[in-house]
Amino acid sequence: MSKFNIDRFTAKYITKRDKSLFLSDIESNSVLLQRKIENKKILVIGGAGSIGSSFIKAILPYRPQTLVVVDINENALAELTRELRGTKDMFLPLDYVPYPMDYASPVFTKMFISRQGFDVVANFSAHKHVRSEKDIFSIEVMLRNNVINAKKLMDLLVQYPPEEFFCVSTDKAANPVNIMGASKRIMEDLIFSYSDKFAVKTARFANVAFSNGSLLAGFIARLQKNQPLSAPADVKRYFVSLEESGHICMLACMLGNNREIFFPKLNGEQMMRFDIIAREFLQENGYAVMECDSAEAAKRQIMELSADSKIYPVYFSESDTSGEKMFEEFYTDTECIDMNRFISLGVITGKNKIDSKKIYDFINNLEQMFNSGSTTKKEIINILCSYLSGFEHIETGKNLDEKM
């Protein structure tokens, strides 16, 4: 595989933008951004991931005083540090500390208290794949991370309230059909229940092109490992670039008002199908597509091709897995939308402070169910439905990890 330029491909084929959609809003608010970030103590949780690291790169030009980055992925954290220190003209504060730790652990609490909190806290730690709902164990770890542990963090922040708190959400939280989307929708309620103690903001946004663990990042790995490509042919998604994901989160965190949800101004015509992206990806790398009628046929074909072959086997299938929505959306009919404040961003406004007792009772019930040791996936879906009116889970009995 020849050197593949992710940014160039994303701009040409996926976002069809040669620069960040959000630059105009960043430029017009540069003075306010400077005031919100310069000389501030900033904590980024999940900062070694694709979106968290993009957020870090977005804020560093505004010269924070402190940057503490927490992530359970020790290797990714080490690489982030190498990248930041190896980038020409990249500002990095003297007080820069990357910690390979779990934000729900006792040692994280010790670290946080020892620093008497932070001015800005941004949480990117999340289970964000639909494939996370395979069985009761995968569901439990997802709900613990996205909801239960998030509450522990919010309780800790109350001791030293930040000026700004941001926690990333997802477009799948709007009219959710899977447990991951429902968990993030509940996460929104959870963080807003603390909004009388400090400013709370979030953002729902699109798939991040070539983010870690994404299908598109998998395309690169398949070519490197001489394995066929596989993609759904009937699923449409919105996309933003890696750089744009950091810009959205920075703007929401620093410029959002309390209890607001940000989303990119993208229309339905900008949604892309994965099979179309796969074709263009192969074309960009000098291959013609060889469509196969099954995953097994694609694997067989790739073994029969010569090393210098200019055709590449792919398997395009219809989506038939639990929780898979054919298209995504950023807001619901019942939410109040402001499309005028920013050039590139819409804002869901007018969110009332959430009934704390209702959300806390839900989380307590969830923990009790998990601690019982006999809870089923169906019971978890039922308790999610009891909290989220209108939640209609798509259940097919299949999950994405059963596919190539």
Side-chain angles (χ1 to χ4, degrees):
M1 180 182 174
S2 59
K3 183 173 175 56
F4 176 70
N5 188 311
I6 289 175
D7 294 335
R8 183 178 63 197
F9 180 85
T10 300
K12 182 177 179 181
Y13 294 106
I14 302 178
T15 65
K16 298 180 171 60
R17 297 185 288 272
D18 58 5
K19 61 181 181 179
S20 171
L21 176 65
F22 310 103
L23 285 182
S24 55
D25 283 312
I26 290 174
E27 291 166 0
S28 62
N29 290 280
S30 60
V31 173
L32 181 55
L33 288 169
Q34 191 79 39
R35 189 164 74 243
K36 292 276 191 175
I37 300 171
E38 188 174 27
N39 295 323
K40 300 293 186 177
K41 298 189 299 177
I42 298 180
L43 169 66
V44 183
I45 301 167
S50 298
I51 304 171
S53 60
S54 296
F55 172 81
I56 288 169
K57 293 168 192 174
I59 65 171
L60 282 177
Y62 299 96
R63 305 178 75 85
Q65 173 188 311
T66 294
L67 176 61
V68 172
V69 185
V70 170
D71 202 292
I72 60 171
N73 189 330
E74 185 177 13
N75 293 338
L77 203 56
E79 177 54 30
L80 171 67
T81 300
R82 294 187 190 107
E83 181 184 4
L84 295 178
R85 294 205 180 278
T87 301
K88 186 178 183 298
D89 298 326
M90 174 70 77
F91 171 80
L92 201 56
L94 290 175
D95 188 14
Y96 165 69
V97 187
Y99 284 119
M101 65 171 67
D102 182 347
Y103 80 99
S105 68
V107 70
F108 172 85
T109 300
K110 290 179 183 178
M111 181 277 293
F112 183 90
I113 292 175
S114 74
R115 286 180 171 267
Q116 297 187 314
F118 296 82
D119 300 312
V120 178
V121 177
N123 181 17
F124 297 91
S125 176
H127 282 65
K128 49 183 79 80
H129 288 284
V130 176
R131 66 174 65 237
S132 294
E133 61 166 273
K134 291 180 282 292
D135 56 24
I136 189 58
F137 307 110
S138 56
I139 290 169
E140 178 174 349
V141 74
M142 174 171 57
L143 286 168
R144 284 193 180 279
N145 189 23
N146 291 358
V147 180
I148 295 172
N149 290 347
K151 183 180 185 301
K152 293 178 182 177
L153 173 64
M154 302 305 285
D155 288 336
L156 180 60
L157 295 183
V158 170
Q159 297 183 42
Y160 297 99
E163 295 173 11
E164 318 288 348
F165 173 76
F166 174 84
C167 189
V168 69
S169 188
T170 170
D171 51 5
K172 295 173 180 63
N175 294 318
V177 298
N178 51 63
I179 295 175
M180 187 279 287
S183 74
K184 296 301 282 184
R185 175 63 188 82
I186 292 168
M187 180 280 298
E188 293 175 358
D189 280 2
L190 169 66
I191 62 175
F192 288 156
S193 73
Y194 288 78
S195 61
D196 59 341
K197 299 175 175 65
F198 45 86
V200 176
K201 308 94 175 281
T202 186
R204 298 174 185 167
F205 57 91
N207 285 31
V208 180
F210 296 100
S211 59
N212 295 339
S214 68
L215 180 57
L216 303 193
F219 288 170
I220 298 175
R222 301 288 71 71
L223 257 66
Q224 291 173 334
K225 297 177 181 180
N226 196 40
Q227 295 175 331
L229 268 59
S230 177
D234 55 351
V235 171
K236 292 182 177 181
R237 294 290 182 263
Y238 291 108
F239 284 92
V240 294
S241 69
L242 286 164
E243 179 186 41
E244 287 176 332
S245 71
H247 287 169
I248 296 170
C249 296
M250 177 180 70
L251 289 166
C253 178
M254 305 303 172
L255 305 183
N257 296 320
N258 200 10
R259 293 196 297 274
E260 288 188 335
I261 304 172
F262 280 54
F263 61 89
K265 286 184 183 177
L266 299 172
N267 59 55
E269 294 178 355
Q270 292 170 287
M271 284 194 282
M272 294 286 294
R273 290 206 328 252
F274 286 105
D275 61 322
I276 293 174
I277 297 173
R279 292 178 189 277
E280 292 169 338
F281 173 81
L282 289 173
Q283 173 187 319
E284 185 76 3
N285 283 282
Y287 293 99
V289 170
M290 176 193 289
E291 284 197 52
C292 302
D293 58 9
S294 70
E296 290 304 316
K299 287 186 281 187
R300 184 172 61 251
Q301 285 288 350
I302 204 161
M303 298 304 296
E304 296 174 356
L305 293 174
S306 62
D308 60 352
S309 174
K310 291 301 179 184
I311 58 174
Y312 210 90
V314 299
Y315 172 51
F316 297 136
S317 61
E318 292 185 0
S319 178
D320 61 354
T321 52
S322 295
E324 200 66 79
K325 209 171 184 178
M326 292 300 101
F327 63 93
E328 297 297 357
E329 50 202 328
F330 295 118
Y331 52 87
T332 68
D333 294 340
T334 61
E335 292 174 320
C336 182
I337 310 301
D338 180 351
M339 297 293 278
N340 299 317
R341 196 192 319 172
F342 296 97
I343 298 168
S344 58
L345 288 158
V347 187
I348 301 172
T349 64
K351 285 286 187 180
N352 295 324
K353 183 178 179 295
I354 302 302
D355 181 348
S356 298
K357 185 178 186 308
K358 179 182 178 183
I359 184 69
Y360 300 165
D361 285 348
F362 167 81
I363 293 174
N364 287 335
N365 290 338
L366 198 60
E367 281 201 273
Q368 289 175 15
M369 292 176 72
F370 288 142
N371 292 337
S372 73
S374 59
T375 301
T376 64
K377 177 179 178 178
K378 182 175 176 51
E379 289 172 330
I380 295 300
I381 292 172
N382 286 342
I383 191 176
L384 292 174
C385 289
S386 69
Y387 182 86
L388 289 178
S389 60
F391 174 46
E392 296 183 5
H393 182 263
I394 294 178
E395 179 62 63
T396 67
K398 298 180 180 180
N399 69 77
L400 277 174
D401 284 338
E402 295 171 2
K403 291 192 167 187
M404 184 169 66

